[in-house]
């Protein structure tokens, strides 16, 4: 089937014409619109159709294609429907090759081998998987090869020469060249990057494989510029989606799409030749004659292989990795190299420890005497991260990463936040170090955490509400990643939890492990022994991995993570990822995920904004998978009960996130003898949650349930 793609490029070369590659989101704007639109694309002159497989969290796409994805998912269109669209179009006589374009998780959910086999049988020709770089795609590429399906690599302006060599060596039909840094999107008034000819020439030096250039093409002027830059094909996507959005009537949309395709390609109008028949492009650049069929093989020549630096392990067993758009690959490598160098540099750690006075470290290990009495079992100790500057553990990571960003010469910091604690910590360190600060926060969390939003603004930060999706933490992560791609040269993404693509989970853990190190030495000092269990709440999992990490090798110490049970794990309204989730890929890493059977992220719920997340850090997934850590659940009611008990028995108002960990730790302490010790990470101060608890307790049902009538 990949032969069909090669044949298209060979024929276009023979005609001295560029190939025209079009993109359409399946199931958009209605379930029954896709096949007529595919036929219209072919009638207008499309040589190849990229059919977008809908995904709930398309991190590489701009607002237009995001909207198309959202509508398609609302129409309940998934990978199996995409197969059916291709079958129907082939029955109606569609001749052009069809490539599925999208994200990896829906394919994992369907089953990779079955997905490729069924695609071939349906009449598709290959895949462009935006967040599946070749390093992570060895298995998938092999499945494609066995089924004669094409795996199309992407090259971005940021791609290094070594990596260009590697990517060109594995291309089997063509290479998708991303013309600009950033997300998908077209604009009639914006010129294509002037450096495109240089980018195309750089890639062309290593391969005869055809190059298709996309991102930003809107009109015939753009089309001609891209072809004059030496491209063999032009990709148009967002413009077509906009046309369909503007013409919801399918018959009218089909006519508009066909007309646009004819207009941009001059299909049927005797378009001018490229002038490459003699092997030289119009701009005078020498052309390499494509050799067909393209030689097979994992890597064409040994000298073209990229040496993997292996600076830091990128996986935790099955989990982790870097499933990201090509434009982020080299930036993540730069970050990994900087962190690997920093953690070996005593001066860096001295700089970090010099900030302990600012952070208020070491945080206290406090014996909760009345809580222990109430539970009647093991001694309960609270690791008082709530007493840190800014009121939570988040400042540990924020300080570490800001020092790393300084080392990289970045002048702007972006971050995501759920409960607002990480946003506050980020704005705080940006104020201290004089850096610009933009914080992405789901609109629902902005409502729930009004006080923290105001604190961020007071500190000079800019809060950007995210109105896409469920308007919570996962959507803030998506938007921050999209923004990072557009400003890599001056911006550091200060991720707040142990999530995301490698090396972020390792970086965050390395700066949070100070919690567990201190617990170890403080318990030795206070009790002359290791704790019998350490307990922490788990959302993304940064406070928990910081608490657990230094105890992983101590088999006598139980590691207990407490997830958010929301309305109960027997309902759909919870955030208990490790308890109820399945293995998949989202936000750049393989981990456990709460998703639909089709691989789409679904809404989660927790009374605590900071635990309201669909996935979890990959190292936690590994600890669960291997059985080294145990993960339990506290629902909204139990968390509020713990909130009440700790407030009234110890005079400490805990964060709602921490209240989940407190409930789990308290229940564990009940079951253990009095000579045992349980340490609970009190990760955050509850001042930020008082308004939310007040609102909850004004509801008589909740006040009665908790027997707490202070708001009545």
């Amino acid at each position: 089937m990949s032969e069909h793609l090669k044949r298209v490029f060979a024929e276009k070369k023979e005609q001295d014409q560029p190939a025209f590659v079009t993109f359409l989101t399946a199931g958009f704007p209605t379930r029954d619109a896709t096949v007529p639109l595919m036929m219209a694309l072919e009638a207008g002159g499309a040589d190849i159709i990229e059919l977008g497989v809908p995904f709930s969290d398309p991190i590489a796409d701009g607002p237009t294609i995001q909207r198309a994805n959202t509508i398609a998912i609302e129409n309940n269109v998934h990978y199996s429907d995409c197969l059916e669209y291709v079958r129907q179009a082939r029955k109606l006589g569609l001749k052009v090759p069809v490539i599925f374009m999208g994200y990896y998780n829906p394919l994992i959910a369907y089953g990779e081998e079955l997905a490729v086999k069924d695609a071939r049988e349906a009449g598709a020709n290959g895949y462009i998987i935006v967040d599946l770089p070749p390093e992570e795609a060895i298995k998938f590429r092999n499945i494609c090869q066995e089924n004669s399906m094409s795996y199309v690599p992407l090259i971005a302006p940021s791609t290094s020469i070594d990596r260009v060599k590697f990517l060109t060596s594995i291309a089997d039909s063509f290479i998708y060249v991303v013309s600009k840094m950033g997300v998908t999107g077209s604009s009639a008034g914006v010129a294509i990057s002037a450096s495109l000819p240089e980018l195309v020439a750089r890639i062309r030096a290593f391969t005869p494989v055809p190059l298709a250039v996309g991102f930003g093409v809107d009109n015939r002027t753009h089309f001609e510029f891209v072809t004059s830059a030496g491209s063999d094909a032009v990709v148009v996507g967002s413009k077509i989606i906009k046309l369909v959005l503007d013409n919801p009537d399918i018959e009218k949309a089909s006519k508009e799409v066909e007309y646009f395709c004819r207009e941009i390609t001059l299909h049927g109008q005797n378009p001018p030749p490229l002038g490459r028949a003699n092997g030289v492009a119009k701009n005078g650049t020498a052309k390499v004659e494509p050799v067909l069929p393209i030689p097979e093989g994992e890597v064409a020549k040994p000298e073209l292989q990229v040496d993997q630096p292996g600076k830091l392990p990128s996986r935790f067993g099955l989990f982790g990795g870097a499933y990201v758009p090509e434009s982020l690959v080299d930036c993540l490598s730069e970050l990994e190299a900087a962190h690997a160098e920093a953690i070996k540099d005593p001066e860096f750690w001295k700089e970090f420890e010099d900030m302990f006075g600012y952070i208020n470290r070491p945080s206290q290990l406090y014996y909760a005497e009345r809580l222990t009495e109430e539970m009647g079992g093991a001694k309960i100790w609270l690791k008082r991260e709530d007493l840190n500057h800014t009121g939570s553990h988040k400042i540990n990571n924020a300080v570490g990463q800001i020092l790393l960003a300084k080392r990289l010469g970045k002048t702007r910091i972006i971050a995501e936040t759920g409960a607002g604690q990480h946003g506050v910590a980020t704005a705080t360190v940006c104020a201290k170090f004089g850096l610009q600060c933009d914080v992405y926060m789901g609109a629902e969390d902005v409502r729930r955490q009004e006080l923290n939003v105001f604190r961020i603004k007071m500190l000079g930060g800019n809060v950007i509400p995210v109105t896409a999706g469920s308007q919570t933490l996962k959507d803030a992560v998506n938007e921050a990643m999209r923004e990072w791609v557009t400003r890599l040269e001056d911006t550091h993404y200060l991720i707040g939890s142990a999530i995301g693509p490698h090396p972020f989970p390792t970086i965050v853990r390395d700066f949070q492990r100070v919690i567990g190190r201190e617990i170890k030495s403080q318990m030795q000092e206070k009790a002359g022994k290791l704790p019998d269990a350490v307990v922490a709440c788990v959302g993304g999992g940064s406070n928990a991995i910081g608490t657990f990490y230094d105890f992983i090798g101590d088999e006598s110490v139980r590691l207990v993570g407490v997830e958010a049970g929301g309305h109960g794990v027997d309902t759909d309204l919870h955030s208990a990822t490790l308890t109820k989730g399945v293995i998949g890929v989202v936000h750049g890493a393989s981990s456990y995920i709460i998703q639909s059977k089709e691989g789409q992220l679904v809404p989660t719920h927790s009374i605590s904004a900071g635990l309201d997340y669909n996935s979890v850090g990959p190292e936690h997934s590994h600890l669960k998978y291997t059985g080294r850590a145990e993960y339990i659940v506290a629902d909204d009611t139990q968390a509020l009960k713990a909130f009440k008990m700790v407030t009234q028995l110890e005079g400490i108002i805990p964060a709602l996130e921490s209240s989940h960990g407190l409930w789990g730790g308290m229940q564990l302490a009940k079951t253990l003898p009095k000579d045992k010790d349980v340490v609970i990470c009190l990760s955050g101060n509850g001042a930020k949650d008082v308004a939310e608890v007040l609102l909850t307790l004004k509801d008589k049902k909740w006040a009665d349930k908790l027997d707490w009538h202070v708001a009545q």
Side-chain angles (χ1 to χ4, degrees):
M1 305 295 272
S2 59
E3 292 300 319
H4 192 179
L5 286 160
K6 293 177 188 176
R7 198 158 57 246
V8 165
F9 283 103
E11 286 169 1
K12 298 307 282 190
K13 181 182 184 313
E14 187 68 28
Q15 296 160 14
D16 200 22
Q17 290 294 325
F20 181 44
V21 183
T22 56
F23 172 87
L24 178 70
T25 302
F28 161 80
T30 60
R31 281 185 65 88
D32 56 1
T34 304
V35 175
L37 287 169
M38 289 171 77
M39 303 310 289
L41 290 169
E42 184 179 54
D47 299 298
I48 296 168
I49 294 173
E50 294 171 359
L51 190 61
V53 180
F55 184 49
S56 53
D57 293 77
I59 59 171
D61 288 302
T64 303
I65 293 177
Q66 280 180 57
R67 189 172 168 200
N69 271 273
T70 301
I71 292 168
I73 289 167
E74 284 168 359
N75 292 337
N76 200 28
V77 171
H78 305 288
Y79 184 72
S80 56
D81 301 289
C82 297
L83 297 171
E84 188 54 35
Y85 292 140
V86 177
R87 287 188 198 103
Q88 288 175 23
R90 292 293 185 217
K91 278 180 189 168
L92 290 174
L94 186 82
K95 297 286 191 296
V96 298
V98 176
I99 292 179
F100 287 134
M101 185 169 189
Y103 295 80
Y104 190 32
N105 203 52
L107 296 177
I108 299 172
Y110 191 90
E112 292 171 78
E113 290 190 22
L114 187 62
V116 177
K117 179 175 160 288
D118 287 357
R120 181 191 164 114
E121 287 173 0
N125 303 86
Y127 293 89
I128 300 173
I129 308 298
V130 179
D131 61 346
L132 189 62
E135 296 87 340
E136 306 292 1
I138 293 163
K139 177 187 171 190
F140 186 74
R141 280 163 45 209
N142 287 339
I143 296 168
C144 286
Q145 206 167 26
E146 285 161 15
N147 287 275
S148 302
M149 296 283 275
S150 184
Y151 168 87
V152 179
L154 293 97
I155 291 179
S158 60
T159 305
S160 66
I161 288 293
D162 271 356
R163 194 167 167 77
V164 168
K165 291 177 186 177
F166 170 56
L167 292 166
T168 55
S169 74
I170 62 165
D172 57 24
S173 59
F174 71 98
I175 294 166
Y176 190 126
V177 180
V178 177
S179 69
K180 62 176 185 176
M181 297 302 286
V183 294
T184 56
S186 70
S187 174
V190 177
I192 302 287
S193 170
S195 60
L196 182 62
E198 185 191 334
L199 174 63
V200 170
R202 192 164 81 230
I203 302 164
R204 183 66 74 213
F206 298 106
T207 184
V209 177
L211 307 180
V213 172
F215 276 48
V217 179
D218 185 276
N219 52 47
R220 179 68 193 178
T221 304
H222 289 166
F223 188 96
E224 287 176 348
F225 178 74
V226 168
T227 56
S228 70
S231 173
D232 303 290
V234 183
V235 186
V236 177
S238 294
K239 174 66 177 182
I240 291 166
I241 300 296
K242 283 178 188 168
L243 282 172
V244 177
L245 272 172
D246 292 343
N247 297 280
D249 177 74
I250 297 314
E251 199 174 323
K252 191 173 179 205
S254 297
K255 283 179 183 167
E256 288 290 331
V257 163
E258 182 180 342
Y259 175 77
F260 168 75
C261 291
R262 287 181 181 278
E263 186 182 46
I264 201 168
T265 60
L266 306 181
H267 181 61
Q269 301 170 56
N270 196 23
L274 291 174
R276 298 180 190 171
N278 59 357
V280 178
K282 270 185 183 174
N283 62 7
T285 324
K287 291 285 294 167
V288 182
E289 291 293 320
V291 180
L292 292 171
I294 292 154
E296 290 182 3
E298 194 68 12
V299 175
K301 296 177 185 173
E303 63 268 26
L304 296 189
Q305 292 190 39
V306 179
D307 293 323
Q308 293 302 314
K311 292 178 282 286
L312 297 166
S314 65
R315 288 187 168 272
F316 309 96
L318 297 174
F319 305 98
Y323 296 85
V324 293
E326 177 58 32
S327 50
L328 280 179
V329 169
D330 281 313
C331 183
L332 289 169
S333 294
E334 175 195 52
L335 183 58
E336 179 190 24
H339 186 65
E341 186 184 287
I343 59 176
K344 289 177 186 167
D345 181 358
E347 285 302 309
F348 178 78
W349 288 115
K350 183 179 182 303
E351 200 178 358
F352 182 61
E353 286 171 11
D354 284 348
M355 293 290 291
F356 280 11
Y358 183 74
I359 298 170
N360 198 26
R361 298 218 74 86
S363 65
Q364 296 302 303
L365 185 67
Y366 166 74
Y367 173 47
E369 193 172 355
R370 292 195 68 206
L371 209 53
T372 299
E373 242 175 68
E374 182 73 19
M375 292 301 109
K379 293 186 192 72
I380 297 172
W381 302 82
L382 304 181
K383 180 60 171 162
R384 298 292 306 276
E385 293 296 297
D386 60 312
L387 297 179
N388 292 346
H389 182 39
T390 73
S392 83
H393 69 291
K394 294 293 187 182
I395 191 74
N396 306 326
N397 171 56
V399 165
Q401 283 204 57
I402 206 102
L403 296 175
L404 207 52
K406 272 180 63 195
R407 221 173 154 97
L408 285 163
K410 307 295 184 185
T411 56
R412 174 178 177 248
I413 301 293
I414 60 169
E416 88 298 330
T417 195
Q421 292 293 85
H422 175 58
V424 169
T426 302
T428 298
V429 293
C430 285
K432 170 143 183 69
F433 287 93
L435 300 181
Q436 183 186 338
C437 175
D438 291 325
V439 178
Y440 290 84
M441 192 172 189
E444 169 61 12
D445 292 338
V446 169
R447 180 199 67 76
R448 289 193 284 197
Q449 296 294 338
E450 189 179 13
L451 182 61
N452 272 344
V453 170
F454 185 57
R455 288 169 77 193
I456 292 166
K457 289 178 177 176
M458 282 199 305
L459 287 158
N462 179 31
V463 177
I464 301 155
V466 177
T467 55
S470 58
Q471 305 184 11
T472 56
L473 182 57
K474 80 173 181 70
D475 309 291
V477 174
N478 289 338
E479 210 55 48
M481 281 201 173
R482 288 185 190 111
E483 170 62 18
W484 192 34
V485 178
T486 67
R487 294 272 300 270
L488 293 174
E489 69 289 344
D490 69 345
T491 298
H492 174 66
Y493 177 17
L494 205 161
I495 205 163
S497 197
I499 59 169
H502 176 70
F504 280 120
T506 300
I507 290 173
V508 175
R509 180 204 69 206
D510 286 350
F511 294 134
Q512 291 294 2
R513 66 182 290 197
V514 65
I515 302 171
R517 280 180 167 166
E518 287 180 5
I519 291 172
K520 217 171 203 181
S521 62
Q522 289 167 331
M523 275 301 295
Q524 196 61 43
E525 190 184 309
K526 291 175 184 287
K529 66 192 274 286
L530 290 172
D532 297 283
V534 289
V535 184
C537 65
V538 179
S542 64
N543 92 94
I545 203 63
T547 302
F548 293 174
Y549 187 69
D550 274 69
F551 293 103
I552 290 172
D554 299 310
E555 294 291 338
S556 66
V557 181
R558 286 172 68 181
L559 312 178
V560 183
V562 188
E563 298 192 285
H567 291 179
V569 291
D570 52 344
T571 73
D572 292 332
L573 295 171
H574 64 79
S575 300
T577 309
L578 290 161
T579 307
K580 299 288 282 186
V582 297
I583 296 172
V585 168
V586 74
H587 295 153
S590 168
S591 194
Y592 284 92
I593 302 170
I594 297 172
Q595 61 178 36
S596 68
K597 68 179 190 300
E598 295 88 6
Q600 310 295 352
L601 272 64
V602 294
T604 54
H605 164 77
S606 170
I607 194 167
S608 57
L611 302 185
D612 198 350
Y613 183 53
N614 288 72
S615 190
V616 66
E619 195 161 9
H620 284 294
S621 291
H622 177 61
L623 292 173
K624 172 198 159 71
Y625 190 82
T626 58
R628 177 61 190 98
E630 51 200 284
Y631 295 88
I632 59 175
V633 171
D635 63 27
D636 287 352
T637 304
Q638 291 164 335
L640 284 165
K641 282 179 179 174
F643 181 94
K644 176 190 176 187
M645 286 177 73
V646 176
T647 299
Q648 295 196 329
L649 290 173
E650 295 294 344
I652 298 169
I653 301 175
L656 283 172
E657 290 77 18
S658 316
S659 299
H660 290 74
L662 288 162
W663 176 265
M666 285 153 50
Q667 300 314 301
L668 174 62
K670 268 187 192 177
T671 68
L672 297 175
K674 293 188 177 183
D675 62 345
K676 300 294 183 186
D677 296 274
V678 173
V679 177
I680 305 169
C681 181
L682 208 174
S683 56
N685 184 299
K688 69 181 179 62
D689 293 316
V690 169
E692 184 74 10
V693 173
L694 173 62
L695 197 63
T696 304
L697 292 177
K698 280 183 174 176
D699 182 337
K700 189 174 183 305
K701 181 189 77 176
W702 275 106
D704 290 345
K705 191 185 280 192
L706 297 167
D707 190 23
W708 204 12
H709 297 90
V710 288
Q712 296 296 306

